[in-house]
Amino acid sequence: MRSRAGPPAFFDRYTAHHHLRAVTGLGVASGIFLLNAEFAVRTLAARPWHVGVLFLVPALAQMLVVLRNPADPRRGWIRKPFLRLAVPVYLLLLLPLVGLFPSAPLPFVLLLALCMAVQMILVPVQNGVLARNYHPATRGVRFGVANRVQALAIAAVCLPAGWLLTEREDAWPLVYAVAGVAGVYGYLHWARLRRRRAPSGTSTTPGSASDPDTPWRALVQDRRFLAFEGCFMLYG
């Protein structure tokens, strides 16, 4: 859903309000997700191929969004993806807390891989909203503040969660329930953000290299960035 074009200063404040709260919630979830592989191996006796699935599925989702993103607001088939995709998936993390989830490596790995894949699918949608709503003069500062807030949330959660999972292995349903609630909180704030319409007098062809929302634009216009991205993907 798009809202009417309005004063840039208003949209900056409005977007920052929800953006900071969204990255805080997802930062908490991400701080716990950093422990996934170690926890799966130490507590659930996961095998190497389980860990491979844990990392491979999100990577495949990241590749999918480049080819055809199912959550794309113009060409995708999932409408309101934050509410209809992300929130239900993260609510599944509450199942272990209520005893409706097996303590086995494969179900755990598949559930966490699904959560991280959803993150990958929604990143371009989030970036499209932020690019449209933030004024170019303040965009860098806003992103910098949001990145610091998210990093602080990750650091504040990761160490205590890791200590708790080491000392009390049976506490993992509670720890991952916290990740689920934090993720739902974050995506509810993303869902409340409305995409600002383009200022009058501007027009682009959807999907073309001149479309500011297309992921190909920077790669087409900046060959050094293309080389960087290619090398970075090979490294990853």
Side-chain angles (χ1 to χ4, degrees), residues 41 46-53:
V41 171
R47 300 176 66 88
W49 72 267
H50 288 126
V51 178
V53 169

Side-chain angles (χ1 to χ4, degrees), residues 65-103:
V65 301
V66 176
L67 302 174
R68 180 63 181 261
N69 190 345
D72 187 287
R74 295 162 305 174
R75 296 179 290 273
W77 61 86
I78 302 176
R79 301 302 176 188
K80 298 183 179 180
F82 299 119
L83 290 177
R84 296 180 179 176
L85 178 63
V87 169
V89 167
Y90 274 76
L91 284 174
L92 294 176
L93 291 171
L94 300 179
L95 292 180
L97 188 63
V98 295
L100 297 178
F101 197 81
S103 298

Side-chain angles (χ1 to χ4, degrees), residues 9-171:
F10 165 77
F11 267 88
D12 259 36
R13 295 192 301 271
Y14 157 76
T15 303
H17 173 85
H18 292 293
H19 186 197
L20 292 179
R21 285 156 179 79
V23 298
T24 299
L26 294 176
V28 171
S30 297
I32 294 172
F33 288 173
L34 287 176
L35 308 169
N36 288 344
E38 180 70 16
F39 168 75
V41 171
R42 289 185 54 170
T43 304
L44 301 180
R47 300 176 66 88
W49 72 267
H50 288 126
V51 178
V53 169
L54 196 59
F55 290 104
L56 180 62
V57 171
L60 292 176
Q62 196 170 26
M63 184 180 300
L64 169 67
V65 301
V66 176
L67 302 174
R68 180 63 181 261
N69 190 345
D72 187 287
R74 295 162 305 174
R75 296 179 290 273
W77 61 86
I78 302 176
R79 301 302 176 188
K80 298 183 179 180
F82 299 119
L83 290 177
R84 296 180 179 176
L85 178 63
V87 169
V89 167
Y90 274 76
L91 284 174
L92 294 176
L93 291 171
L94 300 179
L95 292 180
L97 188 63
V98 295
L100 297 178
F101 197 81
S103 298
L106 184 57
F108 173 83
V109 163
L110 292 178
L111 175 56
L112 271 298
L114 176 62
C115 289
M116 292 187 293
V118 167
Q119 279 188 351
M120 296 299 102
I121 289 172
L122 292 179
V123 165
V125 182
Q126 296 163 197
N127 288 343
V129 173
L130 298 178
R132 182 60 58 82
N133 286 15
Y134 280 142
H135 191 274
T138 61
R139 189 178 298 148
V141 174
R142 298 291 193 185
F143 268 87
V145 171
N147 287 339
R148 287 195 292 272
V149 168
Q150 188 167 31
L152 286 173
I154 291 172
V157 170
C158 186
L159 289 178
W163 175 85
L164 183 59
L165 290 175
T166 301
E167 297 296 320
R168 294 283 305 274
E169 293 183 350
D170 60 341

